[in-house]
Amino acid sequence: MILTSAAFADNDTIPQKYTCEGEGINPPLEFFDIPKAAKSLALVVEDPDAVSKKPWIHWVLFNISPNIQFIKEGAKPGNSEEGVADSGENGYGAVCPPAGSGVHRYEFRLYALDEKLDEMPEFTDKEMLLEAMHGHVIDQALLTGLYQNTADR
Protein backbone atom coordinates (compact mmCIF):
# COMPACT_ATOMS: atom_id res chain seq x y z
CA MET A 1 0.00 0.00 0.00
CA ILE A 2 1.31 3.44 -0.90
CA LEU A 3 0.31 6.91 0.38
CA THR A 4 1.47 10.01 -1.52
CA SER A 5 0.64 13.70 -1.89
CA ALA A 6 0.81 15.96 -4.93
CA ALA A 7 1.71 18.78 -2.50
CA PHE A 8 4.92 17.30 -1.05
CA ALA A 9 7.16 14.23 -1.37
CA ASP A 10 7.95 11.84 1.47
CA ASN A 11 10.34 13.51 3.96
CA ASP A 12 9.97 16.85 2.15
CA THR A 13 8.60 20.21 3.30
CA ILE A 14 4.84 20.63 3.59
CA PRO A 15 3.83 23.83 1.74
CA GLN A 16 2.83 26.71 4.03
CA LYS A 17 -0.69 26.65 2.56
CA TYR A 18 -1.46 23.52 4.64
CA THR A 19 -0.28 25.03 7.94
CA CYS A 20 -1.59 27.50 10.51
CA GLU A 21 0.63 30.07 8.80
CA GLY A 22 -1.34 29.56 5.57
CA GLU A 23 -4.88 28.41 4.80
CA GLY A 24 -4.73 25.59 7.35
CA ILE A 25 -6.42 23.05 5.08
CA ASN A 26 -5.51 19.40 4.67
CA PRO A 27 -3.18 18.56 1.78
CA PRO A 28 -4.35 16.31 -1.06
CA LEU A 29 -3.54 12.63 -0.51
CA GLU A 30 -3.56 9.67 -2.91
CA PHE A 31 -3.71 5.93 -2.10
CA PHE A 32 -2.32 3.12 -4.24
CA ASP A 33 -2.29 -0.68 -3.98
CA ILE A 34 -5.11 -0.97 -1.42
CA PRO A 35 -5.48 -4.65 -0.47
CA LYS A 36 -8.50 -6.32 -2.06
CA ALA A 37 -9.52 -7.65 1.37
CA ALA A 38 -9.83 -4.11 2.79
CA LYS A 39 -13.33 -3.21 4.01
CA SER A 40 -12.36 0.29 5.18
CA LEU A 41 -9.41 2.65 5.56
CA ALA A 42 -8.33 4.87 8.44
CA LEU A 43 -5.91 7.80 8.54
CA VAL A 44 -4.09 9.31 11.50
CA VAL A 45 -1.93 12.42 11.17
CA GLU A 46 0.39 13.17 14.07
CA ASP A 47 3.43 15.23 15.05
CA PRO A 48 5.87 13.00 16.99
CA ASP A 49 8.10 16.06 17.56
CA ALA A 50 5.43 18.00 19.44
CA VAL A 51 6.58 19.94 22.48
CA SER A 52 4.03 17.99 24.56
CA LYS A 53 4.97 14.68 26.16
CA LYS A 54 3.14 12.72 23.47
CA PRO A 55 2.66 13.15 19.73
CA TRP A 56 0.17 15.87 18.78
CA ILE A 57 -2.75 14.41 16.82
CA HIS A 58 -3.81 16.54 13.83
CA TRP A 59 -6.40 14.29 12.18
CA VAL A 60 -8.32 11.12 12.96
CA LEU A 61 -10.27 9.87 9.95
CA PHE A 62 -11.91 6.45 9.62
CA ASN A 63 -14.45 4.38 7.73
CA ILE A 64 -13.01 5.65 4.46
CA SER A 65 -14.27 3.46 1.62
CA PRO A 66 -11.50 1.22 0.25
CA ASN A 67 -12.71 2.31 -3.21
CA ILE A 68 -11.56 5.87 -2.48
CA GLN A 69 -8.22 6.58 -4.10
CA PHE A 70 -7.65 10.13 -2.90
CA ILE A 71 -8.56 12.82 -0.41
CA LYS A 72 -9.00 16.22 -2.02
CA GLU A 73 -7.26 19.29 -0.67
CA GLY A 74 -9.36 20.89 2.07
CA ALA A 75 -11.91 18.05 2.18
CA LYS A 76 -12.66 14.67 3.69
CA PRO A 77 -13.92 11.73 1.64
CA GLY A 78 -17.69 11.33 1.52
CA ASN A 79 -19.20 8.93 4.07
CA SER A 80 -15.99 8.83 6.14
CA GLU A 81 -15.97 9.86 9.79
CA GLU A 82 -13.69 12.34 11.55
CA GLY A 83 -12.63 11.81 15.12
CA VAL A 84 -11.31 14.34 17.61
CA ALA A 85 -7.86 15.84 17.08
CA ASP A 86 -5.78 17.22 19.96
CA SER A 87 -7.19 20.65 19.07
CA GLY A 88 -10.42 19.36 20.62
CA GLU A 89 -12.21 19.61 17.26
CA ASN A 90 -13.43 16.93 14.88
CA GLY A 91 -11.56 17.38 11.62
CA TYR A 92 -8.15 18.39 10.34
CA GLY A 93 -6.02 20.48 12.69
CA ALA A 94 -3.44 22.40 10.69
CA VAL A 95 0.29 21.73 10.95
CA CYS A 96 1.49 24.38 13.42
CA PRO A 97 4.87 23.94 15.15
CA PRO A 98 5.56 26.64 17.73
CA ALA A 99 8.34 29.16 17.07
CA GLY A 100 11.65 27.98 18.48
CA SER A 101 10.84 24.26 18.26
CA GLY A 102 12.72 23.52 15.03
CA VAL A 103 11.65 21.22 12.22
CA HIS A 104 8.76 18.89 13.02
CA ARG A 105 7.85 15.65 11.28
CA TYR A 106 4.19 15.11 10.41
CA GLU A 107 3.30 11.46 9.91
CA PHE A 108 0.32 10.67 7.71
CA ARG A 109 -0.40 6.99 8.42
CA LEU A 110 -2.99 5.13 6.36
CA TYR A 111 -4.39 1.80 7.57
CA ALA A 112 -6.28 -0.83 5.55
CA LEU A 113 -8.74 -2.72 7.75
CA ASP A 114 -10.56 -6.01 7.28
CA GLU A 115 -13.78 -4.48 8.63
CA LYS A 116 -15.74 -1.24 8.83
CA LEU A 117 -15.67 0.29 12.31
CA ASP A 118 -19.36 0.49 13.17
CA GLU A 119 -20.81 2.52 15.99
CA MET A 120 -17.74 4.62 16.75
CA PRO A 121 -18.71 7.68 18.82
CA GLU A 122 -18.31 11.26 17.60
CA PHE A 123 -15.63 11.79 20.26
CA THR A 124 -13.38 8.99 18.92
CA ASP A 125 -9.74 9.96 19.38
CA LYS A 126 -6.55 8.25 18.19
CA GLU A 127 -6.38 5.88 21.17
CA MET A 128 -10.00 4.77 20.74
CA LEU A 129 -9.43 4.28 17.02
CA LEU A 130 -6.28 2.21 17.54
CA GLU A 131 -8.10 0.06 20.09
CA ALA A 132 -10.99 -0.54 17.66
CA MET A 133 -8.53 -1.35 14.85
CA HIS A 134 -6.56 -3.85 16.96
CA GLY A 135 -6.40 -7.18 15.12
CA HIS A 136 -8.00 -5.73 11.98
CA VAL A 137 -5.07 -3.94 10.27
CA ILE A 138 -4.08 -5.79 7.10
CA ASP A 139 -1.68 -3.18 5.70
CA GLN A 140 -0.44 0.34 6.33
CA ALA A 141 1.44 3.12 4.59
CA LEU A 142 3.34 6.14 5.87
CA LEU A 143 3.96 9.57 4.33
CA THR A 144 6.09 12.00 6.32
CA GLY A 145 6.06 15.76 5.76
CA LEU A 146 8.33 18.33 7.41
CA TYR A 147 7.56 21.85 8.57
CA GLN A 148 9.28 24.55 10.60
CA ASN A 149 7.68 27.76 11.87
CA THR A 150 8.66 30.65 9.57
CA ALA A 151 10.00 32.57 12.61
CA ASP A 152 12.75 29.90 12.89
CA ARG A 153 14.01 30.18 9.33
mmCIF file of all heavy atoms in Angstrom, residues 98-141:
data_model
loop_
_atom_site.group_PDB
_atom_site.id
_atom_site.type_symbol
_atom_site.label_atom_id
_atom_site.label_comp_id
_atom_site.label_asym_id
_atom_site.label_seq_id
_atom_site.Cartn_x
_atom_site.Cartn_y
_atom_site.Cartn_z
ATOM 1 N N PRO A 98 5.290 25.360 17.097
ATOM 2 C CA PRO A 98 5.562 26.645 17.732
ATOM 3 C C PRO A 98 6.935 27.190 17.345
ATOM 4 O O PRO A 98 7.863 26.418 17.070
ATOM 5 C CB PRO A 98 5.488 26.338 19.223
ATOM 6 C CG PRO A 98 5.405 24.872 19.372
ATOM 7 C CD PRO A 98 5.171 24.268 18.037
ATOM 8 N N ALA A 99 7.057 28.509 17.343
ATOM 9 C CA ALA A 99 8.344 29.156 17.069
ATOM 10 C C ALA A 99 9.359 28.651 18.084
ATOM 11 O O ALA A 99 9.043 28.431 19.248
ATOM 12 C CB ALA A 99 8.200 30.663 17.149
ATOM 13 N N GLY A 100 10.577 28.421 17.612
ATOM 14 C CA GLY A 100 11.652 27.978 18.481
ATOM 15 C C GLY A 100 11.724 26.473 18.688
ATOM 16 O O GLY A 100 12.588 26.001 19.422
ATOM 17 N N SER A 101 10.841 25.717 18.044
ATOM 18 C CA SER A 101 10.836 24.265 18.263
ATOM 19 C C SER A 101 11.485 23.482 17.120
ATOM 20 O O SER A 101 11.495 22.255 17.144
ATOM 21 C CB SER A 101 9.410 23.765 18.506
ATOM 22 O OG SER A 101 8.607 23.936 17.363
ATOM 23 N N GLY A 102 12.015 24.185 16.121
ATOM 24 C CA GLY A 102 12.718 23.519 15.032
ATOM 25 C C GLY A 102 11.801 22.840 14.032
ATOM 26 O O GLY A 102 10.598 23.105 13.978
ATOM 27 N N VAL A 103 12.393 21.943 13.253
ATOM 28 C CA VAL A 103 11.649 21.217 12.224
ATOM 29 C C VAL A 103 10.866 20.081 12.877
ATOM 30 O O VAL A 103 11.421 19.334 13.681
ATOM 31 C CB VAL A 103 12.603 20.645 11.142
ATOM 32 C CG1 VAL A 103 11.840 19.807 10.132
ATOM 33 C CG2 VAL A 103 13.364 21.766 10.447
ATOM 34 N N HIS A 104 9.593 19.976 12.522
ATOM 35 C CA HIS A 104 8.757 18.886 13.023
ATOM 36 C C HIS A 104 8.434 17.935 11.884
ATOM 37 O O HIS A 104 8.287 18.353 10.735
ATOM 38 C CB HIS A 104 7.429 19.432 13.584
ATOM 39 C CG HIS A 104 7.575 20.128 14.891
ATOM 40 N ND1 HIS A 104 6.806 19.819 15.976
ATOM 41 C CD2 HIS A 104 8.409 21.128 15.295
ATOM 42 C CE1 HIS A 104 7.140 20.590 16.989
ATOM 43 N NE2 HIS A 104 8.110 21.400 16.597
ATOM 44 N N ARG A 105 8.302 16.655 12.234
ATOM 45 C CA ARG A 105 7.851 15.646 11.285
ATOM 46 C C ARG A 105 6.343 15.461 11.474
ATOM 47 O O ARG A 105 5.872 15.380 12.600
ATOM 48 C CB ARG A 105 8.537 14.302 11.537
ATOM 49 C CG ARG A 105 10.028 14.311 11.261
ATOM 50 C CD ARG A 105 10.679 13.058 11.800
ATOM 51 N NE ARG A 105 10.595 13.101 13.268
ATOM 52 C CZ ARG A 105 10.544 12.027 14.046
ATOM 53 N NH1 ARG A 105 10.566 10.825 13.537
ATOM 54 N NH2 ARG A 105 10.474 12.146 15.362
ATOM 55 N N TYR A 106 5.628 15.368 10.372
ATOM 56 C CA TYR A 106 4.187 15.111 10.405
ATOM 57 C C TYR A 106 3.946 13.799 9.687
ATOM 58 O O TYR A 106 4.224 13.685 8.494
ATOM 59 C CB TYR A 106 3.409 16.280 9.778
ATOM 60 C CG TYR A 106 3.581 17.512 10.624
ATOM 61 C CD1 TYR A 106 4.641 18.379 10.403
ATOM 62 C CD2 TYR A 106 2.736 17.750 11.706
ATOM 63 C CE1 TYR A 106 4.848 19.475 11.226
ATOM 64 C CE2 TYR A 106 2.929 18.843 12.530
ATOM 65 C CZ TYR A 106 3.983 19.703 12.280
ATOM 66 O OH TYR A 106 4.188 20.785 13.113
ATOM 67 N N GLU A 107 3.483 12.808 10.442
ATOM 68 C CA GLU A 107 3.299 11.458 9.914
ATOM 69 C C GLU A 107 1.840 11.247 9.526
ATOM 70 O O GLU A 107 0.951 11.320 10.380
ATOM 71 C CB GLU A 107 3.737 10.425 10.945
ATOM 72 C CG GLU A 107 5.218 10.522 11.263
ATOM 73 C CD GLU A 107 5.691 9.546 12.325
ATOM 74 O OE1 GLU A 107 4.846 8.937 13.007
ATOM 75 O OE2 GLU A 107 6.923 9.390 12.454
ATOM 76 N N PHE A 108 1.634 10.998 8.250
ATOM 77 C CA PHE A 108 0.319 10.667 7.705
ATOM 78 C C PHE A 108 0.330 9.145 7.568
ATOM 79 O O PHE A 108 1.045 8.607 6.730
ATOM 80 C CB PHE A 108 0.125 11.317 6.330
ATOM 81 C CG PHE A 108 0.047 12.822 6.361
ATOM 82 C CD1 PHE A 108 1.177 13.599 6.611
ATOM 83 C CD2 PHE A 108 -1.162 13.469 6.110
ATOM 84 C CE1 PHE A 108 1.108 14.984 6.619
ATOM 85 C CE2 PHE A 108 -1.240 14.852 6.112
ATOM 86 C CZ PHE A 108 -0.108 15.609 6.374
ATOM 87 N N ARG A 109 -0.422 8.448 8.427
ATOM 88 C CA ARG A 109 -0.398 6.993 8.423
ATOM 89 C C ARG A 109 -1.767 6.463 8.004
ATOM 90 O O ARG A 109 -2.772 6.761 8.641
ATOM 91 C CB ARG A 109 -0.010 6.456 9.792
ATOM 92 C CG ARG A 109 0.355 4.993 9.778
ATOM 93 C CD ARG A 109 0.902 4.526 11.110
ATOM 94 N NE ARG A 109 2.030 5.304 11.610
ATOM 95 C CZ ARG A 109 3.304 5.068 11.323
ATOM 96 N NH1 ARG A 109 3.630 4.081 10.515
ATOM 97 N NH2 ARG A 109 4.253 5.803 11.845
ATOM 98 N N LEU A 110 -1.767 5.704 6.911
ATOM 99 C CA LEU A 110 -2.987 5.126 6.356
ATOM 100 C C LEU A 110 -3.036 3.648 6.702
ATOM 101 O O LEU A 110 -2.046 2.935 6.537
ATOM 102 C CB LEU A 110 -2.998 5.302 4.828
ATOM 103 C CG LEU A 110 -4.223 4.788 4.089
ATOM 104 C CD1 LEU A 110 -5.448 5.639 4.411
ATOM 105 C CD2 LEU A 110 -3.954 4.789 2.578
ATOM 106 N N TYR A 111 -4.194 3.200 7.192
ATOM 107 C CA TYR A 111 -4.387 1.800 7.568
ATOM 108 C C TYR A 111 -5.475 1.182 6.700
ATOM 109 O O TYR A 111 -6.522 1.799 6.492
ATOM 110 C CB TYR A 111 -4.852 1.695 9.027
ATOM 111 C CG TYR A 111 -3.900 2.278 10.033
ATOM 112 C CD1 TYR A 111 -4.002 3.605 10.433
ATOM 113 C CD2 TYR A 111 -2.909 1.487 10.614
ATOM 114 C CE1 TYR A 111 -3.144 4.139 11.381
ATOM 115 C CE2 TYR A 111 -2.040 2.012 11.565
ATOM 116 C CZ TYR A 111 -2.167 3.348 11.938
ATOM 117 O OH TYR A 111 -1.311 3.873 12.878
ATOM 118 N N ALA A 112 -5.250 -0.029 6.224
ATOM 119 C CA ALA A 112 -6.279 -0.827 5.555
ATOM 120 C C ALA A 112 -6.788 -1.822 6.587
ATOM 121 O O ALA A 112 -5.997 -2.519 7.235
ATOM 122 C CB ALA A 112 -5.698 -1.566 4.355
ATOM 123 N N LEU A 113 -8.122 -1.874 6.739
ATOM 124 C CA LEU A 113 -8.742 -2.723 7.755
ATOM 125 C C LEU A 113 -9.614 -3.785 7.117
ATOM 126 O O LEU A 113 -10.216 -3.552 6.064
ATOM 127 C CB LEU A 113 -9.595 -1.879 8.703
ATOM 128 C CG LEU A 113 -8.910 -0.648 9.310
ATOM 129 C CD1 LEU A 113 -9.902 0.153 10.134
ATOM 130 C CD2 LEU A 113 -7.719 -1.064 10.149
ATOM 131 N N ASP A 114 -9.732 -4.926 7.800
ATOM 132 C CA ASP A 114 -10.556 -6.014 7.276
ATOM 133 C C ASP A 114 -12.025 -5.885 7.683
ATOM 134 O O ASP A 114 -12.809 -6.796 7.485
ATOM 135 C CB ASP A 114 -9.991 -7.370 7.700
ATOM 136 C CG ASP A 114 -10.042 -7.601 9.195
ATOM 137 O OD1 ASP A 114 -10.565 -6.748 9.950
ATOM 138 O OD2 ASP A 114 -9.544 -8.660 9.636
ATOM 139 N N GLU A 115 -12.392 -4.739 8.269
ATOM 140 C CA GLU A 115 -13.784 -4.481 8.628
ATOM 141 C C GLU A 115 -14.051 -2.980 8.674
ATOM 142 O O GLU A 115 -13.114 -2.178 8.749
ATOM 143 C CB GLU A 115 -14.138 -5.107 9.977
ATOM 144 C CG GLU A 115 -13.482 -4.432 11.162
ATOM 145 C CD GLU A 115 -13.961 -4.982 12.498
ATOM 146 O OE1 GLU A 115 -14.596 -6.041 12.523
ATOM 147 O OE2 GLU A 115 -13.685 -4.326 13.513
ATOM 148 N N LYS A 116 -15.319 -2.621 8.609
ATOM 149 C CA LYS A 116 -15.737 -1.241 8.826
ATOM 150 C C LYS A 116 -15.939 -1.087 10.327
ATOM 151 O O LYS A 116 -16.389 -2.014 10.996
ATOM 152 C CB LYS A 116 -17.040 -0.949 8.064
ATOM 153 C CG LYS A 116 -17.443 0.489 8.146
ATOM 154 C CD LYS A 116 -18.643 0.778 7.267
ATOM 155 C CE LYS A 116 -18.978 2.253 7.410
ATOM 156 N NZ LYS A 116 -20.273 2.577 6.847
ATOM 157 N N LEU A 117 -15.574 0.060 10.869
ATOM 158 C CA LEU A 117 -15.674 0.289 12.313
ATOM 159 C C LEU A 117 -17.038 0.899 12.631
ATOM 160 O O LEU A 117 -17.209 2.113 12.633
ATOM 161 C CB LEU A 117 -14.534 1.199 12.783
ATOM 162 C CG LEU A 117 -13.129 0.677 12.487
ATOM 163 C CD1 LEU A 117 -12.087 1.706 12.863
ATOM 164 C CD2 LEU A 117 -12.881 -0.642 13.191
ATOM 165 N N ASP A 118 -17.993 0.043 12.891
ATOM 166 C CA ASP A 118 -19.360 0.492 13.168
ATOM 167 C C ASP A 118 -19.486 1.047 14.576
ATOM 168 O O ASP A 118 -18.771 0.656 15.487
ATOM 169 C CB ASP A 118 -20.344 -0.676 12.989
ATOM 170 C CG ASP A 118 -20.468 -1.093 11.532
ATOM 171 O OD1 ASP A 118 -20.413 -0.206 10.656
ATOM 172 O OD2 ASP A 118 -20.612 -2.303 11.271
ATOM 173 N N GLU A 119 -20.412 1.966 14.700
ATOM 174 C CA GLU A 119 -20.806 2.525 15.992
ATOM 175 C C GLU A 119 -19.654 3.159 16.774
ATOM 176 O O GLU A 119 -19.568 3.029 17.994
ATOM 177 C CB GLU A 119 -21.523 1.468 16.831
ATOM 178 C CG GLU A 119 -22.775 0.953 16.147
ATOM 179 C CD GLU A 119 -23.524 -0.074 16.967
ATOM 180 O OE1 GLU A 119 -23.436 -0.049 18.204
ATOM 181 O OE2 GLU A 119 -24.210 -0.889 16.341
ATOM 182 N N MET A 120 -18.790 3.866 16.075
ATOM 183 C CA MET A 120 -17.736 4.623 16.750
ATOM 184 C C MET A 120 -18.338 5.973 17.151
ATOM 185 O O MET A 120 -18.997 6.627 16.338
ATOM 186 C CB MET A 120 -16.540 4.835 15.818
ATOM 187 C CG MET A 120 -15.829 3.560 15.403
ATOM 188 S SD MET A 120 -14.983 2.725 16.751
ATOM 189 C CE MET A 120 -13.613 3.827 17.028
ATOM 190 N N PRO A 121 -18.111 6.412 18.390
ATOM 191 C CA PRO A 121 -18.711 7.678 18.821
ATOM 192 C C PRO A 121 -18.063 8.892 18.156
ATOM 193 O O PRO A 121 -16.933 8.818 17.670
ATOM 194 C CB PRO A 121 -18.477 7.683 20.330
ATOM 195 C CG PRO A 121 -17.331 6.770 20.556
ATOM 196 C CD PRO A 121 -17.374 5.747 19.455
ATOM 197 N N GLU A 122 -18.782 10.010 18.194
ATOM 198 C CA GLU A 122 -18.308 11.264 17.603
ATOM 199 C C GLU A 122 -17.011 11.736 18.255
ATOM 200 O O GLU A 122 -16.218 12.433 17.653
ATOM 201 C CB GLU A 122 -19.399 12.326 17.803
ATOM 202 C CG GLU A 122 -19.394 13.423 16.793
ATOM 203 C CD GLU A 122 -20.610 14.310 16.979
ATOM 204 O OE1 GLU A 122 -21.653 14.008 16.391
ATOM 205 O OE2 GLU A 122 -20.489 15.311 17.711
ATOM 206 N N PHE A 123 -16.807 11.345 19.522
ATOM 207 C CA PHE A 123 -15.633 11.787 20.264
ATOM 208 C C PHE A 123 -14.461 10.811 20.145
ATOM 209 O O PHE A 123 -13.517 10.845 20.944
ATOM 210 C CB PHE A 123 -15.985 12.030 21.743
ATOM 211 C CG PHE A 123 -16.630 10.845 22.427
ATOM 212 C CD1 PHE A 123 -15.858 9.838 22.987
ATOM 213 C CD2 PHE A 123 -18.009 10.745 22.493
ATOM 214 C CE1 PHE A 123 -16.450 8.748 23.606
ATOM 215 C CE2 PHE A 123 -18.613 9.662 23.117
ATOM 216 C CZ PHE A 123 -17.829 8.664 23.683
ATOM 217 N N THR A 124 -14.480 9.942 19.141
ATOM 218 C CA THR A 124 -13.384 8.990 18.924
ATOM 219 C C THR A 124 -12.070 9.744 18.746
ATOM 220 O O THR A 124 -11.975 10.655 17.919
ATOM 221 C CB THR A 124 -13.666 8.120 17.681
ATOM 222 O OG1 THR A 124 -14.839 7.344 17.920
ATOM 223 C CG2 THR A 124 -12.502 7.194 17.376
ATOM 224 N N ASP A 125 -11.073 9.365 19.522
ATOM 225 C CA ASP A 125 -9.743 9.957 19.375
ATOM 226 C C ASP A 125 -8.788 8.871 18.862
ATOM 227 O O ASP A 125 -9.207 7.742 18.593
ATOM 228 C CB ASP A 125 -9.259 10.578 20.688
ATOM 229 C CG ASP A 125 -9.109 9.576 21.830
ATOM 230 O OD1 ASP A 125 -9.197 8.339 21.598
ATOM 231 O OD2 ASP A 125 -8.890 10.009 22.972
ATOM 232 N N LYS A 126 -7.532 9.202 18.737
ATOM 233 C CA LYS A 126 -6.555 8.255 18.193
ATOM 234 C C LYS A 126 -6.506 6.971 19.011
ATOM 235 O O LYS A 126 -6.505 5.872 18.444
ATOM 236 C CB LYS A 126 -5.166 8.884 18.142
ATOM 237 C CG LYS A 126 -4.095 7.906 17.676
ATOM 238 C CD LYS A 126 -2.691 8.396 17.940
ATOM 239 C CE LYS A 126 -1.678 7.300 17.716
ATOM 240 N NZ LYS A 126 -0.357 7.637 18.220
ATOM 241 N N GLU A 127 -6.486 7.082 20.319
ATOM 242 C CA GLU A 127 -6.376 5.884 21.167
ATOM 243 C C GLU A 127 -7.589 4.983 20.999
ATOM 244 O O GLU A 127 -7.453 3.760 20.911
ATOM 245 C CB GLU A 127 -6.184 6.283 22.635
ATOM 246 C CG GLU A 127 -4.884 7.045 22.892
ATOM 247 C CD GLU A 127 -3.646 6.381 22.336
ATOM 248 O OE1 GLU A 127 -3.499 5.151 22.468
ATOM 249 O OE2 GLU A 127 -2.808 7.086 21.738
ATOM 250 N N MET A 128 -8.786 5.559 20.939
ATOM 251 C CA MET A 128 -10.003 4.772 20.744
ATOM 252 C C MET A 128 -9.992 4.100 19.376
ATOM 253 O O MET A 128 -10.389 2.945 19.238
ATOM 254 C CB MET A 128 -11.242 5.668 20.882
ATOM 255 C CG MET A 128 -11.458 6.178 22.286
ATOM 256 S SD MET A 128 -12.752 7.432 22.367
ATOM 257 C CE MET A 128 -14.189 6.442 21.999
ATOM 258 N N LEU A 129 -9.507 4.840 18.358
ATOM 259 C CA LEU A 129 -9.433 4.281 17.015
ATOM 260 C C LEU A 129 -8.455 3.111 16.981
ATOM 261 O O LEU A 129 -8.778 2.040 16.445
ATOM 262 C CB LEU A 129 -9.026 5.358 16.007
ATOM 263 C CG LEU A 129 -8.854 4.870 14.572
ATOM 264 C CD1 LEU A 129 -10.158 4.335 13.998
ATOM 265 C CD2 LEU A 129 -8.299 6.003 13.693
ATOM 266 N N LEU A 130 -7.273 3.290 17.542
ATOM 267 C CA LEU A 130 -6.279 2.211 17.538
ATOM 268 C C LEU A 130 -6.800 0.977 18.261
ATOM 269 O O LEU A 130 -6.569 -0.153 17.825
ATOM 270 C CB LEU A 130 -4.959 2.687 18.156
ATOM 271 C CG LEU A 130 -4.179 3.739 17.364
ATOM 272 C CD1 LEU A 130 -2.912 4.121 18.108
ATOM 273 C CD2 LEU A 130 -3.867 3.274 15.959
ATOM 274 N N GLU A 131 -7.522 1.193 19.353
ATOM 275 C CA GLU A 131 -8.101 0.064 20.086
ATOM 276 C C GLU A 131 -9.124 -0.679 19.226
ATOM 277 O O GLU A 131 -9.128 -1.906 19.157
ATOM 278 C CB GLU A 131 -8.752 0.559 21.374
ATOM 279 C CG GLU A 131 -9.266 -0.559 22.249
ATOM 280 C CD GLU A 131 -9.834 -0.059 23.558
ATOM 281 O OE1 GLU A 131 -9.210 0.834 24.179
ATOM 282 O OE2 GLU A 131 -10.898 -0.547 23.956
ATOM 283 N N ALA A 132 -9.974 0.076 18.525
ATOM 284 C CA ALA A 132 -10.989 -0.542 17.663
ATOM 285 C C ALA A 132 -10.349 -1.269 16.475
ATOM 286 O O ALA A 132 -10.872 -2.281 15.999
ATOM 287 C CB ALA A 132 -11.971 0.514 17.172
ATOM 288 N N MET A 133 -9.210 -0.756 15.999
ATOM 289 C CA MET A 133 -8.532 -1.354 14.846
ATOM 290 C C MET A 133 -7.706 -2.581 15.223
ATOM 291 O O MET A 133 -7.319 -3.352 14.350
ATOM 292 C CB MET A 133 -7.593 -0.330 14.188
ATOM 293 C CG MET A 133 -8.295 0.805 13.527
ATOM 294 S SD MET A 133 -7.197 1.986 12.642
ATOM 295 C CE MET A 133 -5.571 1.718 13.230
ATOM 296 N N HIS A 134 -7.432 -2.767 16.511
ATOM 297 C CA HIS A 134 -6.558 -3.854 16.959
ATOM 298 C C HIS A 134 -7.024 -5.196 16.382
ATOM 299 O O HIS A 134 -8.170 -5.585 16.514
ATOM 300 C CB HIS A 134 -6.523 -3.911 18.486
ATOM 301 C CG HIS A 134 -5.582 -4.941 19.003
ATOM 302 N ND1 HIS A 134 -4.221 -4.771 18.998
ATOM 303 C CD2 HIS A 134 -5.804 -6.175 19.503
ATOM 304 C CE1 HIS A 134 -3.647 -5.843 19.491
ATOM 305 N NE2 HIS A 134 -4.577 -6.719 19.801
ATOM 306 N N GLY A 135 -6.104 -5.876 15.715
ATOM 307 C CA GLY A 135 -6.400 -7.178 15.123
ATOM 308 C C GLY A 135 -7.074 -7.102 13.761
ATOM 309 O O GLY A 135 -7.387 -8.137 13.178
ATOM 310 N N HIS A 136 -7.301 -5.887 13.257
ATOM 311 C CA HIS A 136 -7.999 -5.728 11.976
ATOM 312 C C HIS A 136 -7.163 -5.023 10.904
ATOM 313 O O HIS A 136 -7.648 -4.818 9.796
ATOM 314 C CB HIS A 136 -9.317 -4.976 12.187
ATOM 315 C CG HIS A 136 -10.249 -5.706 13.083
ATOM 316 N ND1 HIS A 136 -10.933 -6.834 12.679
ATOM 317 C CD2 HIS A 136 -10.580 -5.503 14.385
ATOM 318 C CE1 HIS A 136 -11.655 -7.284 13.691
ATOM 319 N NE2 HIS A 136 -11.464 -6.504 14.734
ATOM 320 N N VAL A 137 -5.929 -4.627 11.229
ATOM 321 C CA VAL A 137 -5.066 -3.938 10.266
ATOM 322 C C VAL A 137 -4.434 -4.981 9.353
ATOM 323 O O VAL A 137 -3.745 -5.886 9.825
ATOM 324 C CB VAL A 137 -3.983 -3.109 10.980
ATOM 325 C CG1 VAL A 137 -3.034 -2.474 9.963
ATOM 326 C CG2 VAL A 137 -4.613 -2.051 11.872
ATOM 327 N N ILE A 138 -4.675 -4.843 8.042
ATOM 328 C CA ILE A 138 -4.077 -5.793 7.102
ATOM 329 C C ILE A 138 -2.923 -5.185 6.313
ATOM 330 O O ILE A 138 -2.133 -5.909 5.718
ATOM 331 C CB ILE A 138 -5.135 -6.401 6.147
ATOM 332 C CG1 ILE A 138 -5.955 -5.332 5.445
ATOM 333 C CG2 ILE A 138 -6.042 -7.338 6.919
ATOM 334 C CD1 ILE A 138 -6.984 -5.884 4.448
ATOM 335 N N ASP A 139 -2.808 -3.845 6.342
ATOM 336 C CA ASP A 139 -1.675 -3.178 5.699
ATOM 337 C C ASP A 139 -1.667 -1.737 6.177
ATOM 338 O O ASP A 139 -2.675 -1.229 6.683
ATOM 339 C CB ASP A 139 -1.796 -3.239 4.178
ATOM 340 C CG ASP A 139 -0.456 -3.075 3.465
ATOM 341 O OD1 ASP A 139 0.569 -2.826 4.134
ATOM 342 O OD2 ASP A 139 -0.434 -3.183 2.223
ATOM 343 N N GLN A 140 -0.519 -1.084 6.008
ATOM 344 C CA GLN A 140 -0.437 0.340 6.326
ATOM 345 C C GLN A 140 0.626 1.002 5.484
ATOM 346 O O GLN A 140 1.516 0.340 4.944
ATOM 347 C CB GLN A 140 -0.204 0.566 7.820
ATOM 348 C CG GLN A 140 1.051 -0.015 8.399
ATOM 349 C CD GLN A 140 1.151 0.255 9.885
ATOM 350 O OE1 GLN A 140 1.315 1.392 10.290
ATOM 351 N NE2 GLN A 140 1.049 -0.784 10.694
ATOM 352 N N ALA A 141 0.494 2.325 5.371
ATOM 353 C CA ALA A 141 1.444 3.118 4.594
ATOM 354 C C ALA A 141 1.727 4.403 5.364
ATOM 355 O O ALA A 141 0.871 4.898 6.110
ATOM 356 C CB ALA A 141 0.868 3.446 3.223
#
